[in-house]
Amino acid sequence: MARRDAGIRFRDVYAHPVGRDAVDKILLQLGRSPRWVTNPLVANLRLRTLGTLAAPLIGPGVADAFAHILAEHPERIGQATGSDEQAKRSWWESAVFYQVYPRSFQDSDGDGIGDLRGIIDRLDYLHDLGVDCVWLSPIFDSPNEDMGYDVRDYRAVMTEMGTLADLDELIAGCHDRGMRIILDLVVNHTSAQHEWFQAAIADPDGPYGDYYHLRPGAPGEDGSGAPPNNWTSFFSGSAWRWIPEAERWALHLFAPEQMDLNWENPAVRAEVADIVRWWRARGIDGFRMDVINYISKRDGLPDGNEAIGRLMGFFGIENYFFGPRLHEYLHELRTAGFTGGGALDGLMVGETPGVGIEMGRLLSDPERAELDLVFNFDVLEMPGRIRWDDYSYDLRYLKTYYTQLLTRLGPGDHAALFFDNHDNPRMLSKVLGARADDPRLRTAVGKALATIQLMLRGVPFLFQGQEIGAIDQDFAGLDELRDVESRNRHAELRAAGHSDAEAFAQVLPGARDHARTPMRWEPGTHSGFTTGAPWQAGNENSIGFTVAEQMDEPDSVWSFTRDLIRLRREHRALAAGGIRFLAPRSRDCFAWVRTGGEGEDEWLIEVNLTDRQISRPRGMPKAEPVLASAADDSMLGPYGVLVSRCG
């Protein structure tokens, strides 16, 4: 045990933002209540003693790992100001974002792959829905080992997506309609085909050799020996790849063709800042930063703790999920790349896996000038569950999660609200399972999720298809999946002795392909996405769940989503006001009031979290219904919604 933890008690760990979030993540994985660690008996134990007592449950060495993390980060809970007076007012605070997965949004030329011109053709659709900002998943030049998240050239558009001229037209088209546009920026790693990596392996001791994490093997190494540490890839297997021509091991936290950049090198950080400036000058309004919290790795890249690795499913993660120089690197990128000031400053949204509420507050604290928003993924799975599990998601957990999150945020903090994205199955299917084929329930849950996302305090990020109640696809076998993560996981399960059917059954619930099938624009062959053969086939023939059908139906998910967005835009309290939760003890109803400034209306929102009819909670404020789904004066139908203006 390291001497640094000699006087640390567990309450000190839980009073630290990194410690609090790390403990909460472990409890979430174990499906345990925070009361396990907040009671006085546990809170007053020395970290060393608690580590010994907890070893049979979580394994040895975890206490030392906590002590190491705390020593690297001096912050304490409360250091994120979240001050409303200190926070600048920016355009994105009241915006509705819409994520486009370009490959699957709209194909304009019949090759079966969505492209930039297809998005241009659909800009009026997005504007009519009420979108304020379009977010594009990667469109940079790429060999597409991970569908664009392996960038070969940050200043070029992948051929199948179009040209820089097309992108310029798209940027102008968004701005002409009063919308903004942000891009996905993947700078934790590059493609192995990027010119930097090619130069690095051609001359590992030259200037580009230090752009990546390259490590020599033992004398005579041919790649058959042990890699430099025990870290594992998120896409299966070791996180190290032997490069024979360079006689070096190269780090890749994701696919073997996605090589991790070495952010310790100032030249790498300067390159990234220059990329940001180049795109900002071209009119891009900001970036969603892919796995941006992974950029700082612990010095020496030490082995991961075995117990933490088994618990989290990945070895080494504690050495980089919130690295020692993360704050420094993000602040430097903010000041060097996102130039300008005030409301026109470029937006930095962080995809931050493993980061919880308190670390998120630190990263997005306006006084620190790092990120503006972070994605917290704890909302996507219930306690004790992971993405690959086949289970029914209980919407009551959303109430618990969001009540805790929004209660702990300061007045100047902002939450990114999302359920679906390109990396996760559809939330609607998680809730309903096989019952997602029931159009009545599908519509009801689609409206309930939209209400929670658009009426809570925060910044909503819709993903294409949510507005029409998109669901998971009934893929028949591995040959219908295109995603490298799912295919690698299937191969790993097969190698472990599972049959093909068993492996596929374990992969299907969490396959990212569910969210990546082409957009359903209209009834008919390929749903209006393409005139050719789509790159990724969907297996859905449901009636009533295409854009064309729903835009003409006043009771559709699309119409309800548009109406919610319109209410947000017309009433400041719904977009930027405060929040007060009601009926906290009700397990079935999620209710809250959105509060505004002097002279502004207050709004009451009620959502039935169950598949049965319930009575509205007693003691609700007097209010006039404005928008409803399966609700009346006294009852909320299955997954019913009531949005009312308070009198």
Side-chain angles (χ1 to χ4, degrees):
M1 182 68 67
R3 295 187 58 176
R4 66 171 67 90
D5 79 325
I8 297 177
R9 296 186 184 275
F10 192 74
R11 63 170 179 263
D12 301 318
V13 175
Y14 214 57
H16 187 288
V18 184
R20 169 74 177 269
D21 285 354
V23 171
D24 284 347
K25 176 64 73 173
I26 289 175
L27 292 172
L28 189 67
Q29 291 291 112
L30 294 172
R32 305 296 185 182
S33 165
R35 290 190 294 271
W36 271 46
V37 298
T38 56
N39 67 80
L41 178 62
V42 173
N44 286 309
L45 287 174
R46 293 189 184 277
L47 182 58
R48 178 182 302 183
T49 303
L50 183 61
T52 301
L53 294 174
L57 177 64
I58 59 177
V62 176
D64 191 42
F66 271 109
H68 200 151
I69 292 172
L70 266 60
E72 291 175 337
H73 297 280
E75 302 96 348
R76 293 183 63 81
I77 284 180
Q79 282 193 254
T81 62
S83 169
D84 197 39
E85 291 73 29
Q86 292 167 335
K88 64 184 179 183
R89 291 297 174 193
S90 299
W91 62 267
W92 52 264
E93 293 182 33
S94 58
V96 173
F97 288 75
Y98 186 102
Q99 182 188 358
V100 168
Y101 194 68
R103 184 173 295 272
S104 296
F105 193 62
Q106 180 66 69
D107 173 24
S108 70
D109 57 12
D111 67 354
I113 299 174
D115 47 45
L116 296 179
R117 298 223 62 84
I119 301 171
I120 292 169
D121 291 342
R122 296 292 186 179
L123 283 180
D124 286 338
Y125 165 79
L126 296 174
H127 180 262
D128 292 345
L129 182 62
V131 170
D132 296 297
C133 183
V134 179
W135 154 27
L136 301 187
S137 283
I139 46 82
F140 301 135
D141 176 50
S142 168
N144 284 309
E145 295 291 341
D146 187 23
M147 298 303 174
Y149 285 88
D150 48 322
V151 178
R152 182 166 48 201
D153 186 344
Y154 289 100
R155 292 178 176 85
V157 173
M158 67 175 76
T159 303
E160 58 267 46
M161 293 290 175
T163 66
L164 278 174
D166 293 332
L167 186 52
D168 288 339
E169 184 177 341
L170 176 56
I171 294 169
C174 287
H175 292 164
D176 289 345
R177 291 166 175 81
M179 300 188 297
R180 300 177 192 266
I181 181 170
I182 65 173
L183 300 180
D184 236 321
L185 187 62
V186 188
V187 287
N188 173 71
H189 47 266
T190 73
S191 166
Q193 295 184 24
H194 195 287
E195 62 180 1
W196 300 339
F197 190 72
Q198 291 300 304
I201 62 177
D203 182 10
D205 297 317
Y208 286 99
D210 198 37
Y211 270 46
Y212 298 88
H213 296 278
L214 302 181
R215 296 290 184 271
E221 177 66 73
D222 61 0
S224 61
N229 63 29
N230 69 344
W231 296 7
T232 50
S233 163
F234 290 99
F235 290 172
S236 302
S238 171
W240 293 91
R241 169 187 170 190
W242 177 251
I243 310 294
E245 58 267 42
E247 296 184 335
R248 297 289 193 279
W249 291 97
L251 179 67
H252 62 91
L253 292 180
F254 295 91
E257 296 79 13
Q258 292 170 288
M259 317 315 301
D260 276 56
L261 287 165
N262 176 21
W263 277 66
E264 293 290 317
N265 184 347
V268 169
R269 304 198 298 273
E271 295 267 22
V272 173
D274 192 57
I275 291 166
V276 170
R277 289 193 298 268
W278 193 85
W279 282 106
R280 291 279 290 127
R282 213 170 185 103
I284 291 299
D285 296 294
F287 295 91
R288 176 263 194 188
M289 317 290 289
D290 187 69
V291 293
I292 196 64
N293 57 310
Y294 290 174
I295 58 177
S296 174
K297 277 79 169 175
R298 184 167 290 158
D299 289 346
L301 309 183
D303 277 346
N305 176 270
E306 294 284 334
I308 293 176
R310 286 191 296 272
L311 180 66
M312 305 306 295
F314 305 101
F315 291 88
I317 196 168
E318 73 275 18
N319 293 311
Y320 58 79
F321 89 105
F322 204 78
R325 300 182 67 187
L326 179 60
H327 290 305
E328 174 190 342
Y329 294 161
L330 290 176
H331 179 72
E332 180 182 313
L333 180 57
R334 163 69 78 185
T335 54
F338 291 77
T339 55
L344 297 180
D345 210 11
L347 174 66
M348 291 178 68
V349 183
E351 185 204 20
T352 52
V355 165
I357 295 173
E358 299 303 331
M359 286 186 286
R361 291 191 66 209
L362 286 175
L363 292 173
S364 60
D365 184 354
E367 281 211 325
R368 302 176 71 100
E370 297 173 16
L371 300 172
D372 294 303
L373 290 163
V374 301
F375 288 128
N376 183 328
F377 292 90
D378 291 346
V379 67
L380 296 185
E381 306 298 341
M382 293 181 62
R385 297 292 188 172
I386 62 173
R387 194 180 99 218
W388 304 101
D389 289 341
D390 188 6
Y391 73 101
S392 295
Y393 187 105
D394 189 339
L395 282 179
R396 293 163 175 149
Y397 175 63
L398 284 186
K399 176 176 181 176
T400 300
Y401 173 82
Y402 278 125
T403 301
Q404 180 189 53
L405 169 67
L406 297 178
T407 300
R408 283 166 61 180
L409 294 186
D413 291 325
H414 299 87
L417 307 174
F418 71 104
F419 299 133
D420 288 5
N421 63 26
H422 64 289
D423 279 339
N424 288 273
R426 297 286 186 174
M427 178 61 80
L428 201 156
S429 286
K430 288 184 182 181
V431 174
L432 288 177
R435 296 187 300 164
D437 290 334
D438 181 332
R440 181 181 57 84
L441 285 176
R442 180 175 176 179
T443 298
V445 173
K447 292 179 180 180
L449 290 172
T451 302
I452 293 170
Q453 191 171 4
L454 290 162
M455 296 285 103
L456 280 175
R457 178 192 162 210
V459 182
F461 286 77
L462 301 173
F463 179 67
Q464 64 183 52
Q466 272 187 267
E467 72 273 26
I468 57 172
I471 58 174
D472 288 350
Q473 300 298 295
D474 187 20
F475 296 115
L478 186 67
D479 61 336
E480 294 188 355
L481 302 184
R482 300 289 178 265
D483 178 42
V484 61
E485 181 188 26
S486 295
R487 297 183 71 87
N488 285 0
R489 183 176 180 85
H490 184 274
E492 191 173 53
L493 290 166
R494 292 284 283 127
H498 294 275
S499 70
D500 181 74
E502 290 170 340
F504 184 70
Q506 292 189 47
V507 166
L508 184 60
R512 300 192 295 182
D513 303 77
H514 289 300
R516 299 180 178 190
T517 54
M519 184 78 170
R520 301 189 74 222
W521 292 105
E522 61 191 40
T525 304
H526 306 321
S527 302
F529 164 70
T530 182
T531 58
W535 75 277
Q536 166 77 290
N539 295 328
E540 184 179 350
N541 296 303
S542 61
I543 297 172
F545 289 91
T546 66
V547 170
E549 293 168 295
Q550 294 207 12
M551 287 182 72
D552 293 332
E553 171 53 60
D555 291 329
S556 67
V557 180
W558 188 93
S559 296
F560 199 81
T561 301
R562 179 202 54 190
D563 290 344
L564 288 169
I565 295 174
R566 176 180 52 79
L567 282 177
R568 274 181 58 93
R569 182 164 288 169
E570 293 175 352
H571 302 279
R572 183 184 177 279
L574 292 172
I579 191 167
R580 183 173 72 253
F581 292 106
L582 305 175
R585 295 184 179 179
S586 172
R587 297 188 68 248
D588 298 337
C589 183
F590 192 10
W592 64 92
V593 169
R594 294 303 306 273
T595 60
E598 185 175 351
E600 295 178 345
D601 290 330
E602 293 192 340
W603 291 79
L604 170 66
I605 294 91
E606 302 164 81
V607 181
N608 180 357
L609 302 175
T610 76
D611 61 359
R612 55 185 173 77
Q613 182 172 271
I614 64 171
S615 298
R616 293 177 60 200
R618 295 180 179 180
M620 292 292 102
K622 183 180 179 181
E624 177 186 357
V626 174
L627 189 61
S629 168
D632 57 36
D633 290 343
S634 61
M635 307 296 293
L636 293 173
Y639 303 110
V641 169
L642 192 58
V643 178
S644 309
R645 182 188 286 110
C646 295

